[in-house]
Amino acid sequence: DYDFEGSAISQILDVLAYNTYYTAFNTNMVVNELFLDSATLRDNVVSLAKQLGYTPKSITSPKASVSMALTFTGTAPAEVSIKKGSGFVTNFDGSLYRYILKENMRVSVANSVATFTDIPIYEGSQITTSTLVNSTDSQRFIIDNSGVDIGTLNVRVFQAVNSSIFKDYKQAYNILDIGASDEVFFVSEIEDEKYEIFFGDGVLGKKLENNNLVQMSYIVTNGSSTNGAKTFTFNGLMEDENGTTVTLPFSISSISTTSVASGGADIETIDKIKYNAPKFYGSQNRAVTQNDYKAIVRNLYPATSDVIVFGGEDQEPPAYGKVFLSIKPKEAVTLSSFTKNELKDSCLLYTSPS
């Protein structure tokens, strides 16, 4: 009798069976990554969300506001400003964190006292990078830090390396009303939770010229780690009206927190991208229906736990022509006045003119 189990053809059939099984498994996994609902790798989910015009939210820095009065004991300057990138520190949960200003804040000195009111501060460290434009190469403008808060990104384009002439570019979220001379840039998430900056091509946005210098400034943050921080100590750098660093003796006569740190959020997760991307696409970048407002608010304020939207016609008495939003933040009981005003102004950009 012929021993089939020990034959070469039996071994070949086993190998082919295993090969077919693993090929079918790999094919199934690859096909799953082609659809937003079944994709599991972040890079693939982000790529599929791009096709819906959705950019996942980056990590978001907590915001707070403080008021402070400085008293100069000697000859006081006429004006004093706190330099951007510096500011305050806080001890939260046993660790020190920096809260900084995004822009310089200048006030006048009266009777040797400089009073700063509602200073907006953000948790993190400010990073500034410069890149020389080389139009002969296929150049990419990549932000290498994965902890960057894209909402704090400022892009400035200088005419040349040593030039003092520059233009501040604004982030564009869609291509509506963008012309060939508009100074805008686009942001897209790439691999490893990093981001890439794109400029116009001369049709949609102004095209960069050779030897331009692109300066990018942004805040690298710890996200939601310091939501709720309310005690701050000043350690910032100051300049007088001549741009000279203030070394004169002064004392902090008062410092108070007018808005507790809130709004910090971690980078948008895969599950959130799958949930938010189709809804944001359904809103078509305009706020009309209740679901439109819900999708837009979650995109503008990632630290949203829940949001309720209703029209003024449902009020008692009715308030026609108005929309009411009730937002529950994740790490706080209520929204700060600063965040409310910021959300209100941002939502108005999506409303259709009546």
Side-chain angles (χ1 to χ4, degrees):
D1 293 335
Y2 183 75
D3 186 4
F4 179 78
E5 293 297 328
S7 65
I9 190 64
S10 175
Q11 302 300 318
I12 293 175
L13 289 175
D14 287 343
V15 171
L16 291 175
Y18 277 114
N19 181 71
T20 302
Y21 170 77
Y22 286 118
T23 300
F25 176 81
N26 289 334
T27 302
N28 180 68
M29 296 299 292
V30 169
V31 172
N32 284 342
E33 296 299 316
L34 298 177
F35 302 95
L36 184 62
D37 288 338
S38 56
T40 58
L41 299 178
R42 181 179 180 86
D43 289 348
N44 295 333
V45 173
V46 170
S47 179
L48 292 168
K50 288 180 186 177
Q51 299 176 19
L52 300 178
Y54 183 76
T55 300
K57 294 294 292 182
S58 68
I59 190 172
T60 305
S61 172
K63 297 182 286 289
S65 60
V66 297
S67 296
M68 178 178 64
L70 303 178
T71 301
F72 292 90
T73 56
T75 303
E79 294 181 340
V80 65
S81 64
I82 304 176
K83 293 187 65 176
K84 66 179 181 179
S86 67
F88 301 80
V89 295
T90 182
N91 191 325
F92 192 76
D93 286 343
S95 299
L96 285 176
Y97 296 90
R98 297 183 63 199
Y99 271 76
I100 64 174
L101 282 74
K102 287 200 302 182
E103 300 293 340
N104 295 341
M105 186 171 186
R106 182 183 296 271
V107 298
S108 299
V109 179
N111 298 322
S112 299
V113 177
T115 303
F116 294 88
T117 304
D118 292 334
I119 309 171
I121 52 178
Y122 301 79
E123 188 276 319
S125 300
Q126 191 170 51
I127 305 295
T128 301
T129 62
S130 298
T131 305
L132 185 65
V133 176
N134 185 355
S135 58
T136 60
D137 293 336
S138 180
Q139 192 172 27
R140 301 179 68 187
F141 299 91
I142 297 176
I143 299 176
D144 289 326
N145 295 286
S146 59
V148 58
D149 179 359
I150 290 298
T152 65
L153 175 64
N154 292 319
V155 176
R156 181 170 288 180
V157 178
F158 291 83
Q159 286 188 353
V161 174
N162 297 319
S163 176
S164 59
I165 301 174
F166 62 85
K167 293 288 186 180
D168 286 321
Y169 278 52
K170 303 299 182 182
Q171 183 177 351
Y173 299 95
N174 56 66
I175 62 174
L176 299 177
D177 300 324
I178 294 180
S181 60
D182 290 327
E183 294 155 349
V184 297
F185 65 91
F186 301 88
V187 178
S188 178
E189 183 179 336
I190 56 175
E191 60 275 2
D192 300 327
E193 298 181 2
K194 296 180 181 179
Y195 294 87
E196 184 174 4
I197 308 301
F198 299 91
F199 292 92
D201 58 359
V203 178
L204 294 175
K206 185 176 181 180
K207 185 177 181 179
L208 296 179
E209 298 178 0
N210 197 34
N211 293 324
N212 281 163
L213 185 70
V214 177
Q215 184 184 84
M216 295 186 291
S217 176
Y218 50 86
I219 292 177
V220 175
T221 179
N222 293 292
S224 61
S225 300
T226 58
N227 282 335
K230 57 184 178 181
T231 303
F232 301 95
T233 303
F234 179 71
N235 75 334
L237 300 176
M238 295 191 301
E239 292 181 342
D240 60 18
E241 65 274 13
N242 299 316
T244 304
T245 301
V246 173
T247 57
L248 299 172
F250 64 87
S251 62
I252 301 176
S253 53
S254 67
I255 181 170
S256 61
T257 302
T258 55
S259 179
V260 175
S262 63
D266 297 326
I267 192 170
E268 193 169 5
T269 63
I270 292 176
D271 289 338
K272 286 185 178 180
I273 296 173
K274 291 181 178 181
Y275 178 83
N276 290 328
K279 292 176 174 56
F280 186 80
Y281 175 76
S283 72
Q284 292 295 300
N285 221 38
R286 83 287 187 257
V288 178
T289 68
Q290 292 182 357
N291 289 333
D292 292 344
Y293 278 95
K294 289 180 180 180
I296 289 170
V297 166
R298 290 184 181 277
N299 186 56
L300 294 173
Y301 188 68
T304 298
S305 175
D306 194 13
V307 56
I308 297 174
V309 182
F310 55 94
E313 67 276 7
D314 296 327
Q315 286 282 80
E316 291 292 343
Y320 296 107
K322 293 185 178 181
V323 177
F324 294 86
L325 304 175
S326 179
I327 302 171
K328 181 181 183 299
K330 289 181 180 178
E331 304 290 342
V333 178
T334 60
L335 295 176
S336 65
S337 298
F338 178 80
T339 304
K340 288 179 182 178
N341 292 329
E342 196 175 53
L343 277 173
K344 177 182 176 181
D345 294 339
S346 298
C347 285
L348 287 174
L349 299 176
Y350 294 89
T351 58
S352 300
S354 57

Coordinates of all heavy atoms in Angstrom, one line a residue, residues 284-321:
Q284 N -21.3 70.1 6.4 CA -20.9 70.8 5.2 C -20.4 72.2 5.5 O -20.6 73.2 4.8 CB -22.1 71.0 4.2 CG -22.5 69.7 3.6 CD -21.4 69.1 2.7 OE1 -21.0 69.7 1.7 NE2 -21.0 67.9 3.0
N285 N -19.7 72.3 6.6 CA -19.0 73.5 7.0 C -20.0 74.7 7.3 O -19.6 75.9 7.1 CB -17.9 73.9 6.0 CG -16.7 74.4 6.7 OD1 -16.3 73.9 7.7 ND2 -16.0 75.4 6.1
R286 N -21.2 74.4 7.6 CA -22.2 75.5 7.9 C -23.0 75.0 9.1 O -23.3 73.9 9.3 CB -23.0 75.9 6.7 CG -24.3 75.0 6.4 CD -23.9 73.7 5.9 NE -25.1 72.9 5.4 CZ -25.5 71.9 6.1 NH1 -25.1 71.6 7.3 NH2 -26.5 71.1 5.6
A287 N -23.5 76.0 9.9 CA -24.3 75.7 11.1 C -25.7 76.1 10.7 O -26.1 77.3 10.7 CB -23.8 76.5 12.3
V288 N -26.5 75.0 10.5 CA -28.0 75.2 10.2 C -28.8 74.4 11.2 O -29.7 74.9 11.9 CB -28.3 74.9 8.7 CG1 -29.8 75.1 8.5 CG2 -27.5 75.8 7.8
T289 N -28.6 73.1 11.1 CA -29.4 72.2 12.0 C -28.7 72.0 13.3 O -27.6 72.4 13.6 CB -29.5 70.8 11.3 OG1 -28.2 70.2 11.2 CG2 -30.0 71.0 9.8
Q290 N -29.4 71.3 14.2 CA -28.9 71.0 15.5 C -27.6 70.1 15.4 O -26.7 70.4 16.1 CB -30.0 70.3 16.4 CG -31.2 71.2 16.7 CD -32.1 70.4 17.6 OE1 -32.0 69.3 17.9 NE2 -33.2 71.1 18.0
N291 N -27.7 69.1 14.6 CA -26.5 68.2 14.4 C -25.3 69.0 13.9 O -24.2 68.7 14.2 CB -26.9 67.1 13.5 CG -27.8 66.1 14.2 OD1 -27.8 66.0 15.4 ND2 -28.6 65.4 13.4
D292 N -25.6 70.0 13.0 CA -24.5 70.9 12.5 C -23.8 71.5 13.7 O -22.5 71.5 13.8 CB -25.0 71.9 11.6 CG -25.5 71.3 10.3 OD1 -25.2 70.2 10.0 OD2 -26.3 72.1 9.6
Y293 N -24.5 72.1 14.6 CA -23.9 72.8 15.7 C -23.2 71.9 16.6 O -22.1 72.2 17.1 CB -25.0 73.6 16.5 CG -25.4 74.9 15.9 CD1 -26.5 75.1 15.1 CD2 -24.6 76.1 16.2 CE1 -26.8 76.3 14.5 CE2 -24.9 77.3 15.7 CZ -26.0 77.4 14.8 OH -26.4 78.6 14.3
K294 N -23.7 70.7 16.8 CA -23.1 69.7 17.7 C -21.7 69.3 17.1 O -20.7 69.2 17.8 CB -24.0 68.5 17.9 CG -25.2 68.7 18.7 CD -26.0 67.4 18.9 CE -27.3 67.7 19.7 NZ -28.1 66.4 19.9
A295 N -21.7 69.0 15.8 CA -20.5 68.6 15.2 C -19.4 69.7 15.2 O -18.2 69.5 15.5 CB -20.7 68.2 13.7
I296 N -19.9 70.9 15.0 CA -18.9 72.1 14.9 C -18.4 72.4 16.3 O -17.2 72.7 16.5 CB -19.6 73.3 14.3 CG1 -19.9 73.1 12.8 CG2 -18.8 74.6 14.5 CD1 -20.7 74.1 12.2
V297 N -19.2 72.3 17.3 CA -18.8 72.6 18.7 C -17.7 71.6 19.1 O -16.7 71.9 19.7 CB -20.0 72.6 19.7 CG1 -19.5 72.6 21.1 CG2 -20.8 73.9 19.5
R298 N -18.0 70.3 18.8 CA -17.0 69.3 19.2 C -15.7 69.5 18.5 O -14.6 69.1 19.0 CB -17.6 67.9 18.9 CG -18.7 67.5 19.8 CD -19.2 66.0 19.6 NE -20.3 65.7 20.4 CZ -20.1 65.2 21.7 NH1 -18.9 65.1 22.2 NH2 -21.2 64.9 22.4
N299 N -15.7 70.0 17.3 CA -14.5 70.2 16.5 C -13.8 71.5 17.1 O -12.5 71.5 17.2 CB -14.8 70.5 15.0 CG -13.6 70.6 14.2 OD1 -12.8 69.7 14.2 ND2 -13.5 71.7 13.5
L300 N -14.5 72.5 17.5 CA -13.9 73.7 18.0 C -13.4 73.5 19.4 O -12.4 74.1 19.8 CB -14.9 74.8 18.0 CG -15.4 75.3 16.6 CD1 -16.5 76.4 16.8 CD2 -14.2 75.9 15.9
Y301 N -14.1 72.7 20.2 CA -13.8 72.5 21.6 C -13.7 71.0 22.0 O -14.7 70.4 22.3 CB -14.8 73.2 22.5 CG -14.5 73.3 24.0 CD1 -13.4 74.1 24.4 CD2 -15.2 72.6 24.9 CE1 -13.1 74.2 25.8 CE2 -14.9 72.6 26.3 CZ -13.9 73.4 26.7 OH -13.5 73.5 28.0
P302 N -12.5 70.4 21.8 CA -12.4 69.0 22.0 C -12.7 68.5 23.4 O -13.0 67.3 23.5 CB -10.9 68.7 21.6 CG -10.5 69.9 20.8 CD -11.3 71.1 21.3
A303 N -12.6 69.4 24.4 CA -12.8 68.9 25.7 C -14.3 68.9 26.1 O -14.7 69.0 27.2 CB -12.1 69.9 26.7
T304 N -15.2 68.7 25.1 CA -16.6 68.7 25.3 C -17.0 67.2 25.7 O -16.7 66.3 25.0 CB -17.3 69.1 24.0 OG1 -17.0 70.4 23.6 CG2 -18.9 68.9 24.2
S305 N -17.7 67.1 26.8 CA -18.3 65.9 27.2 C -19.6 65.6 26.6 O -19.9 64.5 26.1 CB -18.4 65.8 28.7 OG -19.0 64.6 29.1
D306 N -20.5 66.7 26.6 CA -21.8 66.5 25.9 C -22.3 67.9 25.5 O -21.8 69.0 26.1 CB -22.8 65.9 26.9 CG -24.1 65.5 26.3 OD1 -24.1 65.4 25.0 OD2 -25.1 65.2 27.0
V307 N -23.1 68.0 24.5 CA -23.6 69.3 24.1 C -25.1 69.1 23.7 O -25.5 68.1 23.1 CB -22.8 69.8 22.9 CG1 -22.7 68.8 21.7 CG2 -23.4 71.1 22.4
I308 N -25.9 70.1 24.1 CA -27.3 70.1 23.7 C -27.6 71.4 23.0 O -27.1 72.5 23.4 CB -28.2 70.1 25.0 CG1 -28.0 68.7 25.8 CG2 -29.7 70.2 24.7 CD1 -28.7 68.7 27.1
V309 N -28.3 71.3 21.9 CA -28.6 72.4 21.0 C -30.1 72.5 20.8 O -30.8 71.5 20.6 CB -27.9 72.3 19.6 CG1 -28.2 73.5 18.8 CG2 -26.4 72.1 19.8
F310 N -30.6 73.7 20.9 CA -32.0 73.9 20.7 C -32.3 75.4 20.2 O -31.5 76.3 20.5 CB -32.9 73.7 21.9 CG -32.6 74.5 23.1 CD1 -33.2 75.7 23.4 CD2 -31.6 74.0 24.0 CE1 -32.8 76.4 24.5 CE2 -31.2 74.7 25.1 CZ -31.8 75.9 25.4
G311 N -33.3 75.5 19.3 CA -33.6 76.8 18.7 C -34.4 77.7 19.7 O -35.1 77.2 20.6
G312 N -34.3 79.0 19.4 CA -35.1 79.9 20.2 C -36.6 79.8 20.2 O -37.3 80.2 21.1
E313 N -37.1 79.1 19.1 CA -38.5 78.9 19.0 C -39.0 77.9 20.0 O -40.2 77.9 20.3 CB -38.9 78.4 17.6 CG -38.4 77.0 17.3 CD -36.9 77.0 16.8 OE1 -36.3 78.1 16.8 OE2 -36.5 75.9 16.3
D314 N -38.1 77.1 20.7 CA -38.5 76.2 21.7 C -38.5 76.8 23.1 O -38.8 76.2 24.1 CB -37.6 75.0 21.7 CG -37.7 74.2 20.4 OD1 -38.9 74.2 19.8 OD2 -36.7 73.6 19.9
Q315 N -38.1 78.1 23.2 CA -38.0 78.8 24.5 C -39.4 79.2 24.9 O -40.3 79.4 24.1 CB -37.0 80.0 24.4 CG -35.6 79.6 24.3 CD -35.0 79.3 25.7 OE1 -35.2 78.1 26.2 NE2 -34.3 80.2 26.3
E316 N -39.5 79.5 26.2 CA -40.7 80.1 26.8 C -40.3 81.4 27.5 O -39.7 81.3 28.6 CB -41.4 79.1 27.7 CG -42.0 77.9 27.1 CD -43.2 78.3 26.2 OE1 -43.7 79.4 26.4 OE2 -43.6 77.5 25.4
P317 N -40.6 82.6 27.0 CA -41.2 82.8 25.7 C -40.3 82.6 24.5 O -39.1 82.6 24.7 CB -41.6 84.3 25.8 CG -40.6 84.9 26.7 CD -40.3 83.8 27.7
P318 N -40.8 82.5 23.3 CA -39.9 82.2 22.1 C -38.9 83.3 21.9 O -39.2 84.5 22.1 CB -40.9 82.0 21.0 CG -42.2 81.7 21.6 CD -42.2 82.4 22.9
A319 N -37.7 82.9 21.4 CA -36.7 83.9 21.0 C -36.3 83.5 19.6 O -35.3 82.8 19.4 CB -35.5 83.8 22.0
Y320 N -37.1 84.0 18.6 CA -36.9 83.6 17.3 C -35.5 84.1 16.7 O -35.1 85.3 17.1 CB -38.0 84.0 16.4 CG -39.3 83.4 16.7 CD1 -40.3 84.1 17.4 CD2 -39.6 82.1 16.5 CE1 -41.5 83.6 17.8 CE2 -40.8 81.5 16.8 CZ -41.8 82.2 17.4 OH -43.0 81.6 17.8
G321 N -34.9 83.3 15.9 CA -33.6 83.8 15.3 C -32.4 83.5 16.1 O -31.3 84.0 15.8

